[in-house]
Amino acid sequence: MIKSMTGFGRGKYEKEGRYYQVEIKSVNHKYSDIAIRMPKFLNAFEDKMRKKIGESISRGKIDVFVNFENNGSQGSTIHFNLELAKQYIKGLQELASETNVKFDVDIMELAKMPEILKLQEDENEEMFGNELMFALEEALKNFIEMRETEGQKLKEDMQNRIILVEQTVAEIETYAGTLVQEYRQKLETRVKEWIDTKVIDENRLAQEIIIFSDKSSIEEELTRLKSHIQQFYTFLEDKSPIGKKFDFLIQEMNREVNTIGSKANCLEITNRVIILKTEIENIREQVQNIE
């Protein structure tokens, strides 16, 4: 199934006052680039998260944001730095004495002093890790669903465009079959005008036609282009990540179209080459979004 490289997913998990939220968003990128931002005490789970994400996503610049709140008693411990508090009080007493200011300490104000109170998460890594993964799995599920939805839209657009490309190639093939005959008629007419005679050297005329045929033949290019189109249809139904293969195939199709444009000595073919180049470029832009 074709998936877009752009997407967004959010997952949440809450238990006993512990609240986890994971957000995943991605944009286009040639390779897989995963960046995870989360509270420091959860850093131990970064590798596990990265592996889990990598199992589901093969390409794209992926940003992961983890938020955590602990409003329950389990999992957190309050640490009071008593020795530091005593030093604060002693220092404040000395300051009051030196400046003749009344010494009056409010315990709540003292608790606000730097490093007096600290909220530390318990060393229960297994509990935090398991709960975090629940939120990650939900975020991944929503993220992948959005990528698949966007991918289906890309597929429909490219399918319509490749059908137009296929029809245009068929029209070029029709015109290509009459090129040599039209050139022969034009050449005969010009020769008669130049030498003012009805007698034409058929051997010389045949040589000129062969030279023209060799220079303007686009049969090989059309054959390869039609093969690429059939391969394009196959890729549209592929279940694996296909973006890089699509990108290469589009380059090959564009190369064949450019060659046809440079060889074809026909306005009708040239006009259709312009159509092909336009549609292939539109497809290429869509391919840049495919995983």
Side-chain angles (χ1 to χ4, degrees):
M1 177 180 291
I2 289 179
K3 296 178 184 176
S4 170
M5 274 196 287
T6 59
F8 176 82
R10 178 185 290 122
K12 300 177 182 179
Y13 183 77
E14 186 172 6
K15 184 177 181 180
E16 298 176 352
R18 296 183 299 280
Y19 176 78
Y20 303 80
Q21 178 174 283
V22 178
E23 292 183 348
I24 305 175
K25 67 176 183 178
S26 68
V27 294
N28 303 352
H29 199 276
K30 286 186 177 181
Y31 311 104
S32 176
D33 181 12
I34 303 174
I36 301 177
R37 298 172 179 83
M38 57 185 174
K40 186 177 180 180
F41 87 96
L42 291 174
N43 284 345
F45 313 114
E46 180 174 345
D47 289 342
K48 186 176 181 181
M49 293 179 66
R50 194 179 296 275
K51 182 179 179 181
K52 183 70 175 179
I53 295 169
E55 290 173 354
S56 304
I57 301 166
S58 64
R59 200 156 70 110
K61 187 179 186 309
I62 302 151
D63 289 307
V64 183
F65 303 91
V66 179
N67 291 321
F68 174 75
E69 295 178 10
N70 193 350
N71 299 316
S73 59
Q74 186 177 0
S76 296
T77 303
I78 296 176
H79 292 270
F80 183 77
N81 194 331
L82 181 59
E83 293 302 319
L84 181 60
K86 290 178 180 179
Q87 292 181 38
Y88 272 123
I89 293 173
K90 182 179 179 181
L92 291 172
Q93 286 175 333
E94 292 176 355
L95 178 63
S97 176
E98 291 290 335
T99 57
N100 294 319
V101 175
K102 182 181 178 182
F103 178 67
D104 186 11
V105 176
D106 183 275
I107 192 65
M108 294 303 297
E109 292 299 322
L110 181 63
K112 295 177 184 179
M113 301 298 285
E115 304 298 323
I116 295 296
L117 285 180
K118 282 187 177 180
L119 181 65
Q120 294 185 352
E121 305 302 331
D122 292 341
E123 298 299 323
N124 192 345
E125 289 191 359
E126 184 177 357
M127 179 187 73
F128 287 122
N130 292 337
E131 293 175 350
L132 177 61
M133 294 307 290
F134 285 132
L136 176 62
E137 288 172 1
E138 182 184 357
L140 267 176
K141 176 178 175 293
N142 295 331
F143 176 73
I144 292 171
E145 285 179 357
M146 182 174 179
R147 272 190 155 199
E148 289 176 348
T149 299
E150 293 298 317
Q152 183 61 31
K153 294 178 181 178
L154 292 174
K155 177 182 176 180
E156 292 171 0
D157 181 80
M158 292 193 301
Q159 207 162 26
N160 292 333
R161 295 185 186 281
I162 200 64
I163 288 173
L164 178 57
V165 167
E166 188 175 27
Q167 293 171 346
T168 305
V169 169
E171 293 174 5
I172 289 176
E173 196 170 23
T174 300
Y175 285 107
T178 64
L179 278 180
V180 175
Q181 183 60 32
E182 290 177 357
Y183 178 73
R184 178 187 178 95
Q185 293 174 354
K186 290 179 181 178
L187 191 57
E188 287 179 348
T189 301
R190 289 180 181 177
V191 169
K192 288 178 181 179
E193 291 174 352
W194 291 340
I195 64 177
D196 194 23
T197 178
K198 295 181 180 180
V199 180
I200 300 175
D201 186 342
E202 292 293 335
N203 290 332
R204 179 58 180 162
L205 186 62
Q207 290 178 0
E208 291 294 329
I209 292 172
I210 290 173
I211 293 172
F212 171 79
S213 179
D214 287 340
K215 289 182 177 181
S216 63
S217 175
I218 56 176
E219 294 301 320
E220 290 184 11
E221 288 77 9
L222 287 172
T223 298
R224 287 194 292 267
L225 191 52
K226 288 190 290 184
S227 175
H228 294 333
I229 291 171
Q230 293 308 311
Q231 197 169 14
F232 192 98
Y233 281 121
T234 301
F235 285 173
L236 284 174
E237 304 303 326
D238 203 306
K239 303 298 182 183
S240 60
I242 205 72
K244 291 183 179 179
K245 292 182 179 179
F246 261 131
D247 192 42
F248 176 77
L249 185 61
I250 288 299
Q251 291 180 39
E252 293 301 306
M253 292 177 68
N254 200 44
R255 184 176 292 112
E256 301 300 342
V257 171
N258 285 336
T259 305
I260 291 172
S262 64
K263 280 187 173 183
N265 188 18
C266 172
L267 181 60
E268 295 295 341
I269 292 180
T270 300
N271 289 338
R272 282 159 178 78
V273 165
I274 294 173
I275 294 174
L276 288 180
K277 287 178 70 66
T278 301
E279 291 305 316
I280 289 175
E281 177 59 24
N282 289 333
I283 293 174
R284 189 192 68 80
E285 290 178 359
Q286 299 290 48
V287 165
Q288 301 307 308
N289 297 317
I290 294 176
E291 181 180 8

